[in-house]
Amino acid sequence: MEKFTKISGVAAPLPLVNIDTDMIIPKQFLKTIKRSGLGVNLFDEMRFDRQGNEIADFVLNKPAYRQAQILVAGDNFGCGSSREHAPWALADFGIKAIISTSFADIFYSNCFKNGMLPIVLPQEAVDVLMKDAEKGSNARIEVDLESQTVTSSDGQSFKFDVDAFKKHCLLNGLDDIGLTMEKAKSIDSFEAKAAMERPWV
Amino acid sequence: MSPKTLYDKIWDAHVAHESEDGTCLLYIDRHLVHEVTSPQAFEGLRMAGRKVRAPEKTIAVPDHNVPTTIDRANASTMTEESRIQVEALDKNAKDFGIHYYPVSDVRQGIVHIVGPEQGWTLPGMTVVCGDSHTATHGAFGSLAHGIGTSEVEHVLATQTLIQKKSKNMKVEITGKLRPGVTAKDITLSVIGATGTAGGTGYVIEYCGEAIRDLSMEGRMTVCNMAIEGGARAGLIAPDEKTFEYVKGRPHAPKGAAWEAAMAYWQTLFTDEGAHFDKVITIKGEDIAPVVTWGTSPEDVLPITATVPAPESFKGGKVEAAQRSLDYMGLTAGQKLTDIEIDTVFIGSCTNGRIEDLRAAAEILKGKKIKVKRAMVVPGSGLVRAQAEEEGLADIFKEAGFEWRLAGCSMCLAMNPDQLSEGERCASTSNRNFEGRQGYKGRTHLVSPAMAAAAAITGHLTDVREMM
Ligand code: SF4
């Protein structure tokens, strides 16, 4: 997995609340058996009309935001299904961090597995960054995972929380499975104990 | 010992490793797998040369993509891409030696219906699946999480999940339900009250007289939609009804193992005085048959209400509500019962069980539908067989419903069962998101009885008037 340390990039404003996984990647694109290549279908039904033409006023179609690396979104981003296709599509498009007041649980943990950082900030901070994002490509927002700060283009800094283990994995690009397998002994002994205590499982 | 919640007890019994920062490896007792969220996980195992650690605890069934038309044995009913996904699951199940119910098997169906039906889901277990509605299994007092594909791969390889403990939330539904009010109305009303993010960070335990009074089917409906309230999982403590349901299922314990299991299962309840971080109480008698008017499951109102004005909301919800009304083609102030329906869909892991079909058939008996199309998609081949035996299939067919084979079908419209642009559906499924049931399709979530009532009148209808 790619390491995540610090980025400075254009942020696209998406002020809607409850942006769900069906909006992020509609189900017709879930039929793939690969992880890559979903970026072209990110937000498909909001981004393209039925003929496949771009809908000009959707934010990611505007020239200023075509290279956006950050999304600033309304509350409860990523609600809905567990489909990892949603973070895959975002990552494939080039999004590296998403800022909102809250995220749906499964989506939130899926982001970390794909080298993306979801950032939860209070409403006031999100409002400031949303305004900043609206300024277009001249306004670059900086995200620094090491120091856990987001800084707006005019220098306002906001501190965010992130789980220490998740941060460690993201900073070092670590693969969860490899890490867990190092603990195989604990799993073995748990299994042995459980087989005694709950043999019917 | 300090008193524990049901969640605390199941959690504690499954921690295989705990790091200093509280990150745990939670041992997984049952891993359910379907064709859409698993191919990349199996591919990952192959690439790393890894095996499935506990194939005997891993169960796969194709459901999301499979056609539900009678002619589905004919490969041409599936799109090329869907066929590839189903074939990938066939192959992965075989290569990795996991339990499998192929499309041709009468036990095939929606993964969350098949698990309990076959006795894979038992009280006190941890259950995961690459599907958010895994919460369904919480009805048995098992801790059931939906997970992403990377986590599917993690569980396949290690039989554990990296987790931090969630907070405890209690949702109590007191007293009795009024006639015409069902489990679906309970679960939608809870989401209406808490919002779709209200449960974020929590595991919910549903309790109270109205929950106890529900059948296992009803309890599964309630837990199924815990995820729509944002919760990590929903739980209901097991009781006599649970044990009765589980007993004799193909993979339930038997003989002495049953006795040992029962002794343990009877300890699975929240201790007196245990701490909950959040408590919500709703009076059963205050719950009405409800419908959704918007494009979020929190957009819930009693059927007797009118479409709300966007200005009546706060913050970002004003814009979202306006967008919903535009999308749904509704105007503020319109009576919900005046909304005309084109299509009725009865099925899904929320309401595709035998009791759901009985409730709908009860309303439909001897009547004809007025909507353009209506379909019943039983949740599994066995539900379908039982409904045929009970004569329910005939009631549906005589009323004008299509009688389908098992699968997810129009719940997410990955197979050909889709709404067309602007088509309006009364659906017993769980999500009314934009495009969920088809591009620009319009979804109103309802209970099976309410769906049947709408089918007969051609518009959203208060089922109590037909009882
Ligand atoms: S029926 Fe719907 S919600 Fe349930 S598993 Fe299938 S697609 Fe998901």
Side-chain angles (χ1 to χ4, degrees), chain A residues 18 20 22 27 30-32 34-35 50 76 80-82 84 105 110 163 177 180 188 190-191 198, chain B residues 13 27 40 50 53 82 85 131 148-150 153-154 164 196 232 298 412 414 431 435-436 439:
Chain A
N18 297 334
D20 60 65
D22 286 63
K27 69 246 157 193
L30 306 188
K31 296 190 181 185
T32 172
K34 301 205 188 70
R35 288 171 203 248
R50 265 319 223 187
N76 198 27
S81 91
S82 64
E84 203 158 315
D105 206 37
N110 279 343
D163 177 80
I177 298 179
T180 298
D188 292 341
F190 178 88
E191 254 176 2
R198 296 189 297 276
Chain B
Y27 191 82
Q40 293 87 349
R50 288 170 177 149
R53 183 181 166 105
S82 297
Q85 249 181 8
D131 187 284
T149 299
S150 296
E153 188 179 335
H154 190 276
K164 266 202 173 159
T196 46
R232 188 99 247 247
E298 70 190 15
L412 94 165
M414 260 188 93
R431 288 196 176 131
R436 172 77 177 183
Y439 181 73

Side-chain angles (χ1 to χ4, degrees), chain B residues 110-419:
Chain B
I110 304 168
V111 63
H112 307 308
I113 294 194
V114 173
E117 204 168 69
Q118 293 301 317
W120 289 115
T121 309
L122 300 173
M125 281 184 164
T126 46
V127 180
V128 296
C129 175
D131 187 284
S132 53
H133 292 98
T134 310
T136 312
H137 307 265
F140 291 80
S142 64
L143 180 59
H145 293 313
I147 55 178
T149 299
S150 296
E151 289 173 320
V152 170
E153 188 179 335
H154 190 276
V155 176
L156 288 172
T158 69
Q159 206 57 28
T160 63
L161 192 61
I162 301 176
Q163 285 273 294
K164 266 202 173 159
K165 203 172 169 199
S166 304
K167 288 179 282 184
N168 277 291
M169 173 165 165
K170 172 159 111 172
V171 172
E172 186 177 13
I173 314 292
T174 60
K176 301 267 179 217
L177 297 179
R178 294 189 185 273
V181 178
T182 68
K184 183 67 165 286
D185 302 299
I186 295 182
T187 202
L188 281 170
S189 298
V190 170
I191 299 160
T194 61
T196 46
T200 304
Y202 293 92
V203 163
I204 297 177
E205 181 177 345
Y206 298 95
C207 60
E209 187 183 351
I211 298 289
R212 289 274 137 241
D213 283 351
L214 291 176
S215 64
M216 284 314 293
E217 278 92 346
R219 293 180 192 181
M220 283 189 256
T221 302
V222 170
C223 289
N224 174 274
M225 290 192 74
I227 185 71
E228 261 65 56
R232 188 99 247 247
L235 284 172
I236 295 174
D239 60 10
E240 287 310 316
K241 276 185 197 165
T242 320
F243 309 141
E244 187 59 34
Y245 179 99
V246 167
K247 195 164 193 179
R249 304 250 159 207
H251 297 278
K254 314 225 154 35
W258 172 264
E259 297 307 324
M262 276 292 280
Y264 175 65
W265 294 344
Q266 277 159 344
T267 67
L268 297 173
F269 53 83
T270 291
D271 296 330
E272 193 72 20
H275 175 74
F276 283 95
D277 303 281
K278 190 167 169 181
V279 177
I280 290 192
T281 308
I282 295 177
K283 280 193 199 144
E285 63 196 37
D286 288 350
I287 300 175
V290 291
V291 300
T292 59
W293 53 268
T295 54
S296 167
E298 70 190 15
D299 300 338
V300 175
L301 282 172
I303 180 67
T304 46
T306 56
V307 174
E311 309 81 70
S312 63
F313 296 95
K314 282 198 293 268
K317 187 72 189 170
V318 177
E319 199 185 325
Q322 185 57 57
R323 189 184 162 93
S324 285
L325 292 194
D326 294 345
Y327 182 88
M328 293 296 289
L330 299 174
T331 33
Q334 199 176 352
K335 280 171 77 176
L336 291 173
T337 46
D338 285 345
I339 297 174
E340 285 186 20
I341 295 295
D342 304 306
T343 293
V344 169
F345 171 69
I346 298 178
S348 88
C349 59
T350 314
N351 285 128
R353 283 169 286 268
I354 190 70
E355 188 185 273
D356 302 313
L357 304 196
R358 285 186 197 132
E362 177 75 29
I363 304 291
L364 288 169
K365 208 167 189 169
K367 305 221 173 66
K368 294 266 184 254
I369 61 167
K370 256 202 199 135
V371 288
K372 292 189 198 93
R373 66 169 166 160
M375 64 168 103
V376 187
V377 183
S380 72
L382 292 177
V383 169
R384 182 180 148 93
Q386 187 175 350
E388 286 180 342
E389 206 180 289
E390 291 182 17
L392 307 181
D394 294 330
I395 297 177
F396 284 117
K397 285 191 258 184
E398 278 158 24
F401 271 78
E402 286 178 55
W403 179 243
R404 295 293 193 95
L405 297 177
C408 293
S409 180
M410 207 190 265
C411 173
L412 94 165
M414 260 188 93
N415 72 358
D417 306 337
Q418 303 187 0
L419 295 179

Side-chain angles (χ1 to χ4, degrees), chain A residues 1-96:
Chain A
M1 204 170 70
E2 218 180 299
K3 293 179 186 177
F4 185 111
T5 45
K6 192 191 237 184
I7 56 165
S8 163
V10 172
L14 267 173
L16 273 184
V17 298
N18 297 334
I19 292 179
D20 60 65
T21 49
D22 286 63
M23 285 182 187
I24 299 171
I25 186 83
K27 69 246 157 193
Q28 60 270 34
F29 306 110
L30 306 188
K31 296 190 181 185
T32 172
I33 55 171
K34 301 205 188 70
R35 288 171 203 248
S36 55
L38 285 164
V40 288
N41 306 114
L42 176 68
F43 292 117
D44 195 82
E45 288 173 3
M46 298 161 95
R47 213 164 126 209
F48 304 105
D49 66 17
R50 265 319 223 187
Q51 285 67 50
N53 306 310
E54 287 187 1
I55 298 170
D57 62 357
F58 182 67
V59 62
L60 296 179
N61 289 332
K62 294 182 183 166
Y65 297 108
R66 299 184 90 95
Q67 310 293 328
Q69 288 186 293
I70 301 168
L71 289 183
V72 186
D75 195 45
N76 198 27
F77 188 87
C79 58
S81 91
S82 64
R83 62 184 70 157
E84 203 158 315
H85 308 68
W88 291 337
L90 286 159
D92 195 56
F93 179 88
I95 299 297
K96 299 224 155 38

